[in-house]
């Protein structure tokens, strides 16, 4: 019986010829990731395990990004713990404020994840690296601790759903609209425990930044991972960034899928997810008159160059709506600098937006843009759960950078076509 | 092992942001986390919960973030077990790893109401609803996962392996 792309990667890392869905396996890890929220808890468990040393100091990555630059004394204490551990263990890939970025934007950019890798991260959006043809998935802190101690972890081999993409997207439509559309179609538990494998000749029309956005949100459909085949665009990306060799895997012709969805990219409209679940989607054209107080552009979902360029294109020479806050935060320092060089930051500031240092900040309601009771935001982030960005009675609407920027100008959910 | 307590009942897709909102994640002390457990969907939960109580919920319980703070907050609040129709993947893993018992049982989820007195027998895989005089049967865990639970969670298992 044939294997999916995910199953092939897992089989090799489990030292096996084949694996099949439902089996429990132990796999070798190429990378173990943690952040400033999950690592302190992992360190407690690491110690309880009696571990004294990480399995490989080059294969552990720690990125303090959630409450940094430190929001308060508690977060400063967490970051200090994490920093001391990184220094003590001589962790090569510990990224301090000033060189850090949002973890899932940073790791691919630093070339730390390559096609064929198996990566676990104590952060649910670790699934982002599927864009590169790697198997990566989110786990908890105890799993991170065990991974750091032993260099391996257990997995239940997932079934898969295939998303066969054809055609080309309409103007302004991006990977964000595609993934929101798919989540709306299958639901927030539509791919629970499973892999979402994207295939089809439509993929050639998706840039790497679109693919990162889509793989990033696989977890919002409950998936274990989302994964893309490795093509010329991936190879070019890897050539530019990778710091280690990679391996390309392809699904077998007779791989078994629970379901196959055929999607013509040309039929996907600009899409927005209404509160309070990412699957509560509708076309922007049918959003109605939703007045908003804040726009947030950035995060590990949409804080890359394509995203900032798209926002700048719309905001250029215009002003954000009166009494509306527009907060833009890039994924990494490199993206920050590139945005400065390309003149994007000037466009943002002149439009009346805030341009922040890379941080998770507003995305998880941490700091740098919390919503008050009854306020509404359009955000390019990935979750619109109750209380996600602040008060439990505030609301988050998920959309692409183009829709978010257009909405910032009008003060209500808008399509860039209307401007 | 047997647990006993009253039921707190919730709907589908109870996410990790309502189990423990991110605004409290700047502190990783279990007791501090427990004091805000479920606060955004049920402000009375922490006032009413007593040791042994059981959370009963619908589909996809624990969806969202990988924060282990979520099962930790539930466990530290005194909850002995979570029964749901289904669990989100990372929550399921985390709960097993930290030793918070979880069970999938659609029948129980459909019939249990808030305040019902439940007795859960983990070895037998039975849930007895004393208020309604009914017993529901669930699937036992696969042996691999039972071994992790027997080792007192993943920490115990790795500890054995390292020593
Ligand atoms: S940007 Fe948001 S979703 Fe991404 S890692 Fe940070 S908190 Fe999580």
């Amino acid at each position: 019986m044939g294997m999916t792309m995910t199953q092939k990667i897992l089989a090799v890392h489990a030292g096996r010829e084949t694996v099949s869905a439902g089996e429990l396996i132990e796999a070798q890890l190429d990378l173990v990731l943690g952040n400033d929220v999950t690592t302190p808890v992992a360190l407690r468990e690491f110690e309880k395990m009696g571990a004294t040393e990480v399995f490989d100091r080059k294969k552990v990555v720690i990125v303090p990004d959630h409450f940094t630059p430190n929001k308060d004394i508690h977060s400063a204490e967490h970051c200090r713990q994490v920093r001391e551990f990184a220094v003590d263990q001589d962790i090569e890939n510990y990224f301090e404020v000033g060189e850090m970025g949002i973890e899932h934007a940073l790791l691919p950019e630093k070339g730390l994840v390559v096609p064929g890798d198996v990566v676990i991260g104590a952060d649910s959006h670790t699934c982002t690296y599927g864009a590169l043809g790697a198997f990566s998935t989110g786990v908890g802190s105890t799993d991170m601790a065990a991974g750091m101690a032993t260099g391996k972890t257990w997995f239940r081999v997932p079934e898969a759903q295939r998303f066969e993409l054809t055609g080309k997207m309409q103007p302004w439509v991006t990977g964000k609209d595609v993934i929101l559309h798919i989540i709306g179609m299958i639901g927030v538990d539509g791919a629970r425990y499973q892999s979402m494998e994207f295939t089809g000749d439509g993929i050639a029309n998706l840039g790497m930044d679109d693919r990162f956005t889509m793989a990033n949100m696989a977890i919002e459909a409950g998936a274990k991972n989302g994964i893309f085949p490795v093509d010329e665009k991936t190879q070019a990306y890897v050539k530019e960034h990778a710091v280690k060799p990679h391996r390309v895997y392809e699904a077998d012709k007779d791989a078994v899928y629970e379901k196959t969805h055929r999607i013509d990219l040309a039929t996907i409209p600009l899409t927005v997810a209404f509160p309070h679940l990412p699957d509560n989607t509708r076309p922007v054209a049918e959003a109605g008159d939703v007045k908003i107080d804040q726009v947030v552009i950035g995060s590990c979902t949409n804080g890359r160059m394509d995203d900032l360029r798209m926002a700048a294109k719309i905001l250029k020479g215009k002003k954000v709506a009166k009494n509306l806050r527009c907060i833009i935060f890039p994924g990494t320092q490199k993206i920050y600098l590139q945005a400065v060089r390309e003149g994007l930051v000037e466009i943002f500031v002149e439009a009346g937006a805030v341009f922040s240092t890379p941080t998770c900040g507003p995305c998880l309601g941490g700091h740098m843009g919390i919503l008050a009771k009854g306020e509404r935001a359009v955000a390019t982030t990935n979750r619109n759960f109750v209380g996600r960005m602040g008060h439990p009675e505030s609301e988050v609407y998920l959309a692409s950078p183009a829709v978010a920027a257009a909405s910032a100008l009008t003060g209500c959910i808008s399509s860039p076509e209307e401007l | 092992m047997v647990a006993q307590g009253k039921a707190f009942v919730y709907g589908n897709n109870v996410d990790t942001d309502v189990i423990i909102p991110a605004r409290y994640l700047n502190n990783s002390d279990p007791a501090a986390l427990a004091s805000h457990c479920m606060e955004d969907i049920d402000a009375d939960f922490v006032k009413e919960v007593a040791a042994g109580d059981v959370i009963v919920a619908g589909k996809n319980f624990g969806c969202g973030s990988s924060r282990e703070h979520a099962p930790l907050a539930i466990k530290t609040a005194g909850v002995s077990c979570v029964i749901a129709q289904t669990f989100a993947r990372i929550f399921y893993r985390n709960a097993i790893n930290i030793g918070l018992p979880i069970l999938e049982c659609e029948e129980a989820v459909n019939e249990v109401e808030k305040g019902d007195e439940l007795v859960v027998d983990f070895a037998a895989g039975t849930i007895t609803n004393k208020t309604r005089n009914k017993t529901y049967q669930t699937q036992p865990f696969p042996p691999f996962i039972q071994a992790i639970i027997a080792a007192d969670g993943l920490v115990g298992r790795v500890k054995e392996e390292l020593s």
Side-chain angles (χ1 to χ4, degrees):
Chain A
M1 200 168 65
M3 288 188 285
T4 65
M5 188 172 171
T6 298
Q7 290 164 356
K8 276 197 166 171
I9 297 174
L10 287 176
V12 169
H13 285 76
R16 301 259 300 264
E17 287 284 312
T18 59
V19 293
S20 48
E23 258 186 283
L24 291 156
I25 57 159
E26 205 153 44
Q28 299 296 325
L29 299 170
D30 296 302
L31 215 60
V32 178
L33 165 72
N35 60 43
D36 54 320
V37 166
T38 54
T39 308
V41 179
L43 297 184
R44 208 153 66 196
E45 305 306 308
F46 188 77
E47 201 173 307
K48 279 196 228 156
M49 285 167 186
T52 50
E53 234 181 307
V54 299
F55 79 107
D56 185 334
R57 64 177 198 88
K58 290 179 191 296
K59 293 185 179 172
V60 172
V61 186
I62 302 178
V63 189
D65 55 358
H66 278 55
F67 291 114
T68 56
N70 300 144
K71 153 188 138 89
D72 56 15
I73 295 171
H74 275 310
S75 36
E77 292 294 339
H78 275 176
C79 287
R80 183 173 55 80
Q81 270 176 36
V82 167
R83 183 179 307 111
E84 282 173 3
F85 177 78
V87 170
D88 183 49
Q89 296 279 328
D90 200 14
I91 303 287
E92 193 171 282
N93 294 302
Y94 165 73
F95 297 99
E96 190 53 85
V97 167
E99 56 174 2
M100 67 65 125
I102 301 170
E103 52 201 294
H104 311 305
L106 189 68
L107 267 58
E109 182 190 280
K110 294 278 179 196
L112 295 171
V113 183
V114 295
D117 273 357
V118 168
V119 180
I120 59 167
D123 188 280
S124 59
H125 294 102
T126 301
C127 54
T128 308
Y129 320 129
L132 291 167
F135 171 82
S136 60
T137 193
V139 296
S141 294
T142 300
D143 275 320
M144 179 197 177
M148 286 199 299
T150 65
K152 54 189 187 183
T153 199
W154 65 273
F155 292 117
R156 179 186 168 281
V157 177
E159 292 84 11
Q161 291 186 36
R162 176 166 51 184
F163 295 83
E164 210 177 292
L165 310 177
T166 58
K168 203 168 180 267
M169 295 171 294
Q170 301 287 333
W172 299 111
V173 176
T174 62
K176 183 60 166 286
D177 302 285
V178 178
I179 193 66
L180 284 175
H181 178 84
I182 289 174
I183 295 165
M185 199 171 88
I186 67 173
V188 287
D189 65 347
R192 211 171 48 91
Y193 290 113
Q194 302 181 341
S195 303
M196 295 172 79
E197 297 210 344
F198 299 99
T199 66
D201 51 19
I203 287 177
N205 298 319
L206 293 164
M208 288 311 295
D209 286 2
D210 285 312
R211 299 181 201 183
F212 283 122
T213 303
M214 289 174 65
N216 175 271
M217 288 193 73
I219 177 73
E220 292 347 306
K224 183 172 203 136
N225 69 317
I227 196 163
F228 281 82
V230 176
D231 66 4
E232 282 165 25
K233 283 186 183 163
T234 332
Q235 292 287 7
Y237 187 94
V238 170
K239 204 168 162 207
E240 192 187 335
H241 297 88
V243 293
K244 58 183 189 184
H246 68 276
R247 228 180 120 172
V248 177
Y249 296 87
E250 277 174 38
D252 288 326
K253 292 264 178 305
D254 59 345
V256 180
Y257 296 94
E258 289 267 302
K259 268 185 214 159
T260 294
H261 310 263
R262 292 196 174 78
I263 299 168
D264 178 359
L265 294 174
T267 63
I268 294 179
L270 289 168
T271 301
V272 55
F274 273 50
H276 288 286
L277 283 174
D279 65 3
N280 190 15
T281 57
R282 58 183 92 168
V284 172
E286 291 165 24
D289 195 14
V290 182
K291 210 184 140 322
I292 53 170
D293 306 282
Q294 179 165 299
V295 163
V296 172
I297 299 173
S299 83
C300 62
T301 317
N302 282 115
R304 299 183 180 80
M305 276 323 292
D306 282 3
D307 304 314
L308 298 187
R309 287 185 188 123
M310 182 71 98
K313 196 163 143 185
I314 291 165
L315 295 174
K316 188 168 184 179
K318 307 231 173 64
K319 285 275 179 213
V320 304
K322 195 157 171 54
N323 300 330
L324 177 141
R325 293 102 56 187
C326 180
I327 299 165
I328 304 178
F329 61 119
T332 66
Q333 286 287 74
K334 190 174 170 190
I335 294 168
Y336 188 113
L337 190 58
Q338 183 68 18
V340 171
R341 289 190 176 135
E342 289 184 21
L344 308 187
V345 179
E346 203 172 318
I347 293 170
F348 297 148
V349 174
E350 281 184 343
V354 164
F355 193 69
S356 153
T357 188
T359 176
C360 290
C363 172
L364 81 161
H367 58 147
M368 297 285 294
I370 306 296
L371 299 175
K373 184 174 176 176
E375 286 189 331
R376 295 197 186 108
V378 170
T380 69
T381 55
N382 46 38
R383 287 195 176 130
N384 55 354
F385 298 154
V386 169
R388 175 70 179 182
M389 207 170 265
H391 195 280
E393 285 169 48
S394 60
E395 294 181 348
V396 178
Y397 296 74
L398 304 175
S400 71
V403 172
S407 306
L409 294 177
T410 61
C412 56
I413 296 178
S414 301
S415 154
E417 286 155 358
E418 295 167 30
L419 301 172
Chain B
M1 196 175 112
V2 175
Q4 178 162 1
K6 62 181 183 304
F8 287 84
V9 179
Y10 303 102
N12 293 333
N13 302 312
V14 172
D15 63 73
T16 50
D17 276 88
V18 297
I19 296 172
I20 179 72
R23 58 183 179 276
Y24 302 121
L25 298 184
N26 58 349
N27 191 339
S28 57
D29 171 39
L33 293 168
S35 71
H36 297 292
C37 189
M38 309 301 275
E39 147 181 318
D40 284 359
I41 50 164
D42 182 0
D44 295 327
F45 175 79
V46 287
K47 285 179 233 154
E48 293 173 2
V49 69
D53 285 352
V54 178
I55 288 178
V56 179
K59 284 194 304 178
N60 206 26
F61 185 88
C63 63
S65 148
S66 68
R67 62 188 71 151
E68 207 163 284
H69 313 64
L72 200 60
I74 291 175
K75 191 182 171 189
T76 311
V79 170
S80 64
C81 167
V82 183
I83 301 166
Q85 192 177 331
T86 56
F87 289 91
R89 186 192 75 85
I90 306 176
F91 186 92
Y92 182 92
R93 229 185 137 92
N94 286 346
I96 288 164
N97 284 345
I98 70 156
L100 169 69
I102 52 175
L103 293 171
E104 294 189 341
C105 181
E106 190 173 347
E107 205 193 345
V109 169
N110 289 338
E111 293 188 6
V112 172
E113 286 183 30
K114 186 170 183 215
D116 283 4
E117 195 65 24
L118 305 181
V119 179
V120 185
D121 184 329
F122 298 106
T126 56
I127 302 163
T128 305
N129 188 336
K130 284 172 70 179
T131 311
R132 272 155 233 285
N133 249 326
K134 280 201 77 170
T135 298
Y136 318 101
Q137 183 69 43
T138 65
Q139 290 285 334
F141 285 120
F144 183 89
I145 289 175
Q146 278 184 27
I148 295 181
I149 295 170
D152 199 19
L154 191 63
V155 169
R157 199 178 126 101
V158 174
K159 199 169 174 180
E160 281 166 16
E161 198 184 314
L162 291 178
S163 63

